[in-house]
Amino acid sequence: MIRVLAFDVFGTVVDWRSSIIGELERFGNRQGVQRDWSSFADSWRAGYGPAMDLVRRGELPWTRLDDLHRRILDELLRDVEIQADEDDVDHLNRAWHRLAPWPDAVKGLHRLKERFTITTLSNGNVSLLTDMAKHAGLPWDCVLSAEIFGHYKPDPEAYLGCAQMLDVAPDEAMLVAAHPSDLRAARDAGLRTAYVDRPLEWGQPGRHRVAFESGEFDVVATDLHDLADRL
Amino acid sequence: MIRVLAFDVFGTVVDWRSSIIGELERFGNRQGVQRDWSSFADSWRAGYGPAMDLVRRGELPWTRLDDLHRRILDELLRDVEIQADEDDVDHLNRAWHRLAPWPDAVKGLHRLKERFTITTLSNGNVSLLTDMAKHAGLPWDCVLSAEIFGHYKPDPEAYLGCAQMLDVAPDEAMLVAAHPSDLRAARDAGLRTAYVDRPLEWGQPGRHRVAFESGEFDVVATDLHDLADRL
């Protein structure tokens, strides 16, 4: 019996790429500069895994995702030779607090919330996730984050901490994510798993999509409405 | 400028006493026993401060409020010579997850949520607060708890942890509470403070009400609507 649905957020619930490209275009217009913002957005996102791994390996003390995003952003701005005011860069860095949901996300979450406790289980910090929920209208029952557990996914402590804090056994919690690696780590920690297909996460349909075996996850859904139907 | 309203919950947002007495009456009916349930409820609540202080002084390792409630409950049931099945006692102990809001609370929170980030800052554990929010329809933006900070209020770590996790300075956060001791500790940690009068918290009007000086707190309100008007 599943009691808790724990959601990966970036890519699974919100369309980070379109949102970030839009914010970068507005930033560029304010600065009066033009760059390849799609490629910039992809690089920003690509820097997140390696930065987090520094924390996961203990080479960097605990650092919030906001601050990891900022380190990557500062480097990328140097690379493309843009100098901007601190306020402008800070506002841009908080673009991750203002991501737009996928079209099915808000209604799908409302449906799922009727039967389950729905929580974030994201590497985003609590203030990021809280701001995003207000901005996008995401009706979370609670906001859980790697920040609370002091461990970034895919460390098992994040998945187990979520189940423990919501007072359910690991197999009473289901991770919902668009990324097989996240789901595999959740499954290895004893959680149930639901894959949600987000073919447009990286722009062109299917770009960077990772294959998985049939039967690897408990549920495979096309979006959150389909997930609600299947559960 | 206030950006975050952090709410004490028991007594401030929910009417624990009426709810607990009602749950005890139903428990008694199921068990076929009759006791003074009002007095039992008051004793249950009165045991909470001393139990928490054992944790705060380090005489007990971190223990969730659910488990502190259960220790007190087991002792009280022994005192009144009631033996019940584990399932019944567990259900009764979770009565704190099902408390009813004060009549103004849900609408008041919805009004305040339009302008501020509204969070719990309660000694209740995360699962208790999450269940209660679903049960009572409390529209929190996020659920913060002593459990997350590993410190019960009035330890300063709880107030400061709340501000830090929501990425605001202490004086950009305001504690909303019906208890001067909680508000004084928040004020000492640098937070803003709003007193909400709950004269019926302990049954008869004004019972156990603690006096405070005029001007001690930033805002004094009669309920959450009045608080929304004043802010």
Side-chain angles (χ1 to χ4, degrees):
Chain A
M1 181 177 146
I2 297 160
R3 296 167 59 197
V4 167
L5 298 180
F7 288 79
D8 173 62
V9 173
F10 301 117
T12 300
V13 177
V14 295
D15 174 11
W16 61 266
R17 190 172 187 272
S18 301
S19 302
I20 292 293
I21 293 171
E23 294 264 0
L24 285 165
E25 284 168 351
R26 287 189 288 281
F27 170 79
N29 291 339
R30 282 193 304 275
Q31 303 295 323
V33 297
Q34 181 48 43
R35 298 290 187 279
D36 179 352
W37 297 124
S38 302
S39 155
F40 192 107
D42 289 347
S43 300
W44 201 359
R45 180 67 176 166
Y48 145 87
M52 227 168 39
D53 285 342
L54 293 176
V55 176
R56 293 182 57 231
R57 288 196 305 263
E59 293 168 35
L60 202 63
W62 180 261
T63 307
R64 288 195 294 205
L65 187 59
D66 271 346
D67 298 319
L68 296 178
H69 276 151
R70 180 60 192 264
R71 287 164 61 114
I72 305 161
L73 174 60
D74 285 343
E75 198 172 314
L76 291 173
L77 288 174
R78 269 196 305 274
D79 289 349
V80 299
E81 298 178 340
I82 294 176
Q83 284 191 320
D85 288 348
E86 169 57 28
D87 282 357
D88 290 340
V89 178
D90 182 63
H91 179 77
L92 176 59
N93 196 53
R94 287 173 195 273
W96 298 91
H97 295 221
R98 300 184 295 268
L99 303 179
W102 293 110
D104 55 285
V106 174
K107 281 194 184 164
L109 289 176
H110 275 288
R111 284 182 62 193
L112 292 162
K113 183 183 169 98
E114 288 170 24
R115 285 194 44 216
F116 305 99
T117 293
I118 59 169
T119 182
T120 56
L121 179 53
S122 166
N123 284 336
N125 39 286
V126 171
S127 65
L128 182 159
L129 295 168
T130 301
D131 287 348
M132 182 200 289
K134 272 184 107 68
H135 178 265
L138 306 173
W140 305 120
D141 289 314
C142 75
V143 173
L144 296 182
S145 156
E147 184 184 19
I148 289 174
F149 308 114
H151 282 276
Y152 280 115
K153 296 187 295 181
D155 287 357
E157 289 87 347
Y159 307 101
L160 294 171
C162 170
Q164 188 183 20
M165 204 158 264
L166 291 175
D167 200 20
V168 298
D171 67 358
E172 293 174 318
M174 174 176 266
L175 183 75
V176 182
H179 312 114
S181 57
D182 196 3
L183 293 165
R184 286 173 187 140
R187 183 191 61 197
D188 292 346
L191 277 70
R192 310 285 291 274
T193 52
Y195 175 85
V196 176
D197 195 26
R198 295 300 190 191
L200 300 177
E201 179 178 357
W202 290 88
Q204 299 96 314
R207 182 177 165 223
H208 295 324
R209 182 146 54 175
V210 176
F212 57 92
E213 308 270 322
S214 152
E216 241 194 301
F217 307 122
D218 296 304
V219 178
V220 174
T222 54
D223 64 16
L224 298 191
H225 283 300
D226 186 38
L227 179 65
D229 292 339
R230 287 171 190 274
L231 292 177
Chain B
M1 181 177 144
I2 298 161
R3 296 167 59 194
V4 167
L5 297 180
F7 287 79
D8 174 62
V9 172
F10 300 117
T12 301
V13 177
V14 295
D15 174 10
W16 61 266
R17 191 172 185 272
S18 302
S19 302
I20 293 295
I21 292 172
E23 294 264 0
L24 285 164
E25 284 168 351
R26 287 190 287 281
F27 169 79
N29 291 340
R30 282 193 303 274
Q31 304 294 322
V33 298
Q34 182 47 43
R35 299 290 187 278
D36 179 351
W37 297 125
S38 301
S39 155
F40 192 106
D42 289 347
S43 300
W44 201 357
R45 180 67 176 166
Y48 145 86
M52 226 167 41
D53 285 343
L54 293 176
V55 176
R56 292 183 57 231
R57 288 196 305 264
E59 293 168 36
L60 204 62
W62 181 260
T63 308
R64 289 195 294 205
L65 187 60
D66 270 347
D67 299 319
L68 296 178
H69 277 151
R70 180 60 191 265
R71 287 164 60 113
I72 305 160
L73 174 60
D74 285 343
E75 199 172 313
L76 290 173
L77 288 174
R78 270 196 303 274
D79 289 351
V80 299
E81 297 177 342
I82 295 176
Q83 285 191 317
D85 289 347
E86 169 58 28
D87 282 357
D88 290 340
V89 178
D90 182 62
H91 180 77
L92 176 57
N93 195 54
R94 287 172 195 273
W96 298 92
H97 295 221
R98 301 183 295 268
L99 303 178
W102 293 110
D104 54 287
V106 174
K107 279 194 185 163
L109 288 176
H110 274 288
R111 284 182 61 193
L112 292 162
K113 185 183 168 99
E114 288 169 24
R115 283 194 45 217
F116 304 98
T117 293
I118 59 169
T119 181
T120 57
L121 179 53
S122 167
N123 284 336
N125 39 284
V126 171
S127 64
L128 182 159
L129 295 169
T130 301
D131 287 349
M132 181 200 288
K134 272 185 106 70
H135 178 265
L138 306 173
W140 304 120
D141 289 315
C142 74
V143 173
L144 296 182
S145 155
E147 185 184 18
I148 289 174
F149 308 114
H151 282 276
Y152 280 117
K153 298 188 293 180
D155 287 356
E157 288 86 348
Y159 308 101
L160 293 172
C162 169
Q164 188 183 19
M165 204 159 263
L166 291 175
D167 200 19
V168 299
D171 68 357
E172 293 175 318
M174 174 176 266
L175 182 75
V176 181
H179 313 114
S181 57
D182 196 3
L183 293 166
R184 288 174 186 137
R187 184 192 59 196
D188 291 347
L191 277 70
R192 311 285 290 274
T193 52
Y195 176 85
V196 176
D197 195 26
R198 295 299 190 192
L200 301 177
E201 178 176 0
W202 289 87
Q204 301 96 314
R207 183 177 165 224
H208 295 325
R209 183 146 53 173
V210 177
F212 57 92
E213 308 270 321
S214 152
E216 245 196 297
F217 308 124
D218 296 305
V219 178
V220 174
T222 55
D223 64 16
L224 298 192
H225 282 300
D226 186 37
L227 179 65
D229 292 339
R230 287 169 191 274
L231 293 177

